Amino acid sequence: MKFEDLKIKKLEFTIRYRSKMTEFPSRNKPYHIMGIQLSGSAEHYFHHQHFTINPNCVYFLNQKDDYDVKVLEPTEAFSVHFTTYEPIETPSFCVPTGNGSEIIKLLEKIEKKEINRSDELSMIADFYTLCSRIRTVYKKSYVPKDKRMEEIAEYIHTHFKDKDCLEQAAKLCSLTRRRFNDVFKQYYNITPNRYLIDFKIDLAKKLLKTEYLSVSEIAERCGFSDLYYFSKVFKEETGFSPSKY
């Protein structure tokens, strides 16, 4: 079932959420989440994509998608959590909208009826109207699947230690490096360089949680030939030195 065909099972709750942590994982969610960012900024890292939710971005976080969140600026979001009778095939997405006032008004109507426990049918009708509005925004910016880019992500995961990893990735697509950067960013909402760095740092975080490898060994396994450079990049990305992390 695609997002535009969803059939609601239950509206679990609406919430205005303020971030209290700088980094946290989201795993095995019992519901879908749909809403709008009111303030602040947070990055969401999925297996095959990454996006940044900024103010006036509407978003859908699919129940089946696990992700990690990195808060860039303290955030406030307004969302509705819900379940459906069938899984939704559409992957999680984030789309900026010029004016989010209509989305916010619909969420406020749903929230008010939920609190007062009144007119459930009208509340569900408001929810479907919200889905329609967000679907319209989403379709305007929809980017069709590009099998090349999905294969390139897998290539990067395998060859990230190669110095010419991204140059070879561009050649595999038969694209100039500049065009490759544009296509990759359009598909993943992130540059190839940023994607590669994020992948290396995420791997380093996992390895640093073990007790079997030294920092220099981890730097080498993550594709950093220089320990000083690895420590510098890691601290810039996480706020901690590798040893303190």
Side-chain angles (χ1 to χ4, degrees):
M1 178 178 66
K2 295 183 179 180
F3 177 78
E4 54 264 36
D5 301 319
L6 69 84
K7 292 179 175 58
I8 182 175
K9 182 177 182 181
K10 184 180 179 182
L11 285 179
E12 300 292 336
F13 56 89
T14 54
I15 184 172
R16 292 174 185 263
Y17 174 77
R18 291 182 176 83
S19 58
K20 296 180 180 178
M21 297 177 285
T22 56
E23 292 188 28
F24 58 91
S26 177
R27 303 284 187 272
N28 302 313
K29 298 186 300 300
Y31 37 65
H32 306 288
I33 305 173
M34 183 169 60
I36 187 169
Q37 189 86 345
L38 301 177
S39 64
S41 180
E43 294 181 334
H44 289 60
Y45 298 91
F46 300 80
H47 178 57
H48 278 308
Q49 68 169 331
H50 154 263
F51 54 68
T52 304
I53 303 182
N54 292 313
N56 274 332
C57 279
V58 296
Y59 55 85
F60 165 66
L61 302 175
N62 195 311
Q63 178 182 353
K64 68 180 176 64
D65 292 338
D66 292 336
Y67 55 88
D68 294 293
V69 179
K70 180 179 180 181
V71 177
L72 305 178
E73 299 175 19
T75 63
E76 182 180 3
F78 196 5
S79 60
V80 57
H81 298 215
F82 63 98
T83 55
T84 53
Y85 285 103
E86 298 177 33
I88 300 175
E89 298 172 8
T90 305
S92 300
F93 61 79
C94 166
V95 183
T97 180
N99 185 352
S101 59
E102 185 180 11
I103 302 295
I104 294 170
K105 286 178 181 178
L106 283 167
L107 283 164
E108 287 174 341
K109 287 174 69 177
I110 295 169
E111 180 185 45
K112 184 177 180 180
K113 291 171 184 176
E114 178 188 26
I115 292 172
N116 295 333
R117 297 183 179 180
S118 63
D119 202 353
E120 184 174 353
L121 286 176
S122 177
M123 179 176 68
I124 292 174
D126 289 336
F127 171 79
Y128 278 117
T129 301
L130 174 67
C131 291
S132 177
R133 298 293 182 273
I134 289 181
R135 182 182 67 220
T136 299
V137 176
Y138 170 62
K139 281 193 169 182
K140 286 181 179 178
S141 63
Y142 175 70
V143 179
K145 279 194 172 183
D146 187 334
K147 190 175 180 180
R148 293 177 306 170
M149 291 300 106
E150 294 182 353
E151 291 174 349
I152 287 304
E154 293 300 327
Y155 178 87
I156 292 173
H157 297 169
T158 305
H159 298 84
F160 66 93
K161 293 174 69 174
D162 299 346
K163 289 184 178 180
D164 62 347
C165 173
L166 298 181
E167 285 73 18
Q168 290 302 317
K171 287 181 180 179
L172 287 174
C173 294
S174 301
L175 296 172
T176 65
R177 180 59 194 277
R178 181 173 181 177
R179 179 58 182 158
F180 170 69
N181 288 351
D182 292 341
V183 174
F184 191 98
K185 186 174 182 180
Q186 183 184 27
Y187 191 76
Y188 286 108
N189 199 29
I190 186 174
T191 66
N193 284 327
R194 181 77 258 172
Y195 187 97
L196 180 60
I197 291 172
D198 288 346
F199 181 82
K200 289 182 176 182
I201 295 301
D202 285 344
L203 177 60
K205 287 178 181 178
K206 293 173 184 176
L207 294 176
L208 284 166
K209 291 177 182 177
T210 72
E211 299 178 355
Y212 311 112
L213 299 171
S214 67
V215 173
S216 59
E217 288 174 319
I218 290 172
E220 192 279 327
R221 289 199 181 195
C222 293
F224 293 92
S225 57
D226 183 277
L227 178 59
Y228 172 77
Y229 180 64
F230 167 64
S231 299
K232 179 176 179 290
V233 173
F234 191 89
K235 189 169 184 178
E236 287 175 351
E237 296 297 317
T238 67
F240 298 94
S241 66
S243 57
K244 285 188 178 181
Y245 185 88

